[in-house]
């Protein structure tokens, strides 16, 4: 059996020409206070007013009326709705001069990949690091904040058993559970045969496993800034459930979540016997090349 191990490493991105913004330098002021020639007809819009939340979605952020003078140092940041911009760094940001500009209308567009942050979000347009915010977009709603994300598989040490973890909203946050049937859980189908060879598979059983734990962490539990300061946001709840009695080499198709907020279906092959030989493939992912080419401030 081939076991793939992904090594993740996150680096702070700070380019010489575009340093990460210092949050303390984002001030609330009237835009007319720093340049009397600012075009007050600047507009900011988004291509979507909501996303479902079951998968990442691209949203185009467009502006008009932003002169070349301001566009050169302008940037768009994504924040949770209602956040104090002086307290946190943006979830992600992009520079307006990375957009194809229309010089006649002083317009441009950037595309952001928006994840399920479990809270509604909004985009803010700034110019430079020491000047105030110019505009805020309409709120982009997350329609299904309880949709699972960050799904991981792990061996438990017991033969034929796999632990599945995922992140979602805490119980009772945004929806009120009324029965055990609505608790977060894993639902699965167990097949014999090869993955992808559906004509050769046989359904062995269907089942479900309710979560055994729901963990989280608080700001004060982190070691220091920026993790417990401008970089902190509520991590949600991390759920864990196990599936056991899996025959060696069997094929498992599963989903995690709760009624009305399920993940997309995925699959894996059951682990080999504890004494079986395995081959390991290790590769690294820096995590700093998102599909939307955005940057992270911390």
């Amino acid at each position: 059996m081939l076991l793939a191990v992904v090594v993740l490493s996150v680096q702070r991105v700070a380019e010489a020409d575009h340093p990460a913004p210092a949050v303390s330098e984002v001030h609330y002021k009237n835009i007319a206070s720093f340049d009397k020639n600012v075009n007050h007809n600047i507009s900011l819009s988004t291509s979507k007013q909501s996303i479902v939340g079951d998968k990442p979605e691209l949203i185009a952020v467009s502006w008009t009326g932003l002169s070349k003078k301001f566009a050169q140092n302008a940037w768009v940041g994504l924040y949770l709705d209602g956040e104090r911009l002086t307290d946190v760094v943006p979830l992600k940001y992009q520079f307006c001069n990375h957009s194809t500009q229309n010089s006649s209308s002083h317009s441009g567009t950037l595309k952001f990949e928006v994840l399920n942050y479990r809270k509604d979000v909004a985009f803010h347009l700034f110019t430079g690091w020491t000047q105030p915010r110019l505009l805020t977009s309409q709120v982009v709603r997350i329609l299904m904040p309880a949709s699972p994300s960050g799904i991981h598989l792990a061996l438990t040490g017991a033969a034929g058993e796999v632990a599945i973890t995922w992140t979602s909203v805490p119980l009772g946050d945004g929806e009120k559970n009324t029965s055990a049937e609505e608790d977060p859980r894993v639902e699965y189908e167990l097949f014999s045969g090869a993955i992808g060879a559906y004509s050769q598979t046989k359904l062995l059983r269907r089942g479900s496993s309710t979560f055994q734990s729901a963990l989280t962490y608080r700001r004060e539990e982190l070691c220091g800034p920026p993790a417990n300061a401008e970089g902190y946001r509520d991590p949600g709840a991390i759920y864990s459930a196990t599936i056991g009695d899996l025959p060696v080499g069997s094929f498992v198709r599963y989903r995690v979540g709760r009624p009305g907020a399920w993940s997309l279906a995925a699959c894996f092959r059951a682990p080999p016997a504890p004494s079986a030989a395995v081959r390991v493939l290790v590769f690294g992912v820096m995590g700093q090349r998102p599909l939307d080419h955005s940057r992270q401030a911390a």
Side-chain angles (χ1 to χ4, degrees), residues 142-159:
I142 309 297
L143 299 180
M144 295 174 56
S147 291
S149 61
I151 302 170
H152 288 78
L153 304 177
L155 302 179
T156 66

Side-chain angles (χ1 to χ4, degrees), residues 21 26 70-71 73-79 90 92-96 110 124-129:
V26 179
F70 288 102
N73 293 311
W75 55 281
V76 175
L78 175 64
Y79 292 80
K92 55 172 59 179
Y93 66 97
Q94 293 188 54
F95 296 97
C96 293
L110 294 168
H124 299 269
L125 174 65
F126 301 86
T127 178
W129 304 125

Side-chain angles (χ1 to χ4, degrees), residues 65-293:
L66 187 65
S67 68
K68 183 177 180 180
K69 171 185 175 182
F70 288 102
Q72 183 63 30
N73 293 311
W75 55 281
V76 175
L78 175 64
Y79 292 80
L80 298 180
D81 180 41
E83 287 187 311
R84 284 175 51 86
L85 305 189
T86 52
D87 292 343
V88 294
V89 293
L91 294 161
K92 55 172 59 179
Y93 66 97
Q94 293 188 54
F95 296 97
C96 293
N97 61 8
H98 289 176
S99 164
T100 302
Q101 301 284 327
N102 185 320
S103 57
S104 61
S105 62
H106 304 299
S107 64
T109 298
L110 294 168
K111 291 185 178 180
F112 283 81
E113 185 181 46
V114 179
L115 311 180
N116 182 355
Y117 299 105
R118 298 178 295 281
K119 292 185 178 179
D120 297 339
V121 296
F123 294 93
H124 299 269
L125 174 65
F126 301 86
T127 178
W129 304 125
T130 60
Q131 303 293 359
R133 171 184 53 182
L134 293 179
L135 280 177
T136 300
S137 74
Q138 68 267 49
V139 173
V140 178
R141 296 187 57 213
I142 309 297
L143 299 180
M144 295 174 56
S147 291
S149 61
I151 302 170
H152 288 78
L153 304 177
L155 302 179
T156 66
E161 187 174 76
V162 171
I164 304 176
T165 61
W166 68 96
T167 302
S168 183
V169 297
L171 285 174
D173 188 354
E175 58 180 353
K176 184 176 181 180
N177 288 3
T178 58
S179 67
E181 287 73 22
E182 297 180 4
D183 281 343
R185 61 182 182 271
V186 177
E187 292 187 345
Y188 67 94
E189 295 176 320
L190 179 64
F191 296 88
S192 64
I195 294 178
Y198 293 105
S199 61
Q200 302 175 24
T201 62
K202 177 183 178 182
L203 177 63
L204 300 178
R205 72 172 187 263
R206 291 188 175 93
S208 66
S209 176
T210 303
F211 77 102
Q212 285 87 44
S213 65
L215 306 176
T216 190
Y217 55 87
R218 299 182 298 275
R219 184 191 298 268
E220 59 269 22
E221 295 177 296
L222 301 177
C223 58
N228 65 359
E230 67 270 19
Y232 178 83
R233 286 182 171 91
D234 186 344
I238 304 170
Y239 295 95
S240 179
T242 58
I243 302 176
D245 298 322
L246 302 176
V248 171
S250 58
F251 168 38
V252 181
R253 184 164 57 203
Y254 71 98
R255 65 177 185 174
V256 302
R258 63 187 81 175
W262 293 105
S263 70
L264 300 176
C267 60
F268 66 90
R269 184 182 289 278
S275 59
V278 297
R279 291 179 296 163
V280 178
L281 171 66
V282 179
F283 60 96
V285 178
M286 296 300 295
Q288 289 299 318
R289 298 303 297 176
L291 295 178
D292 58 6
H293 305 293

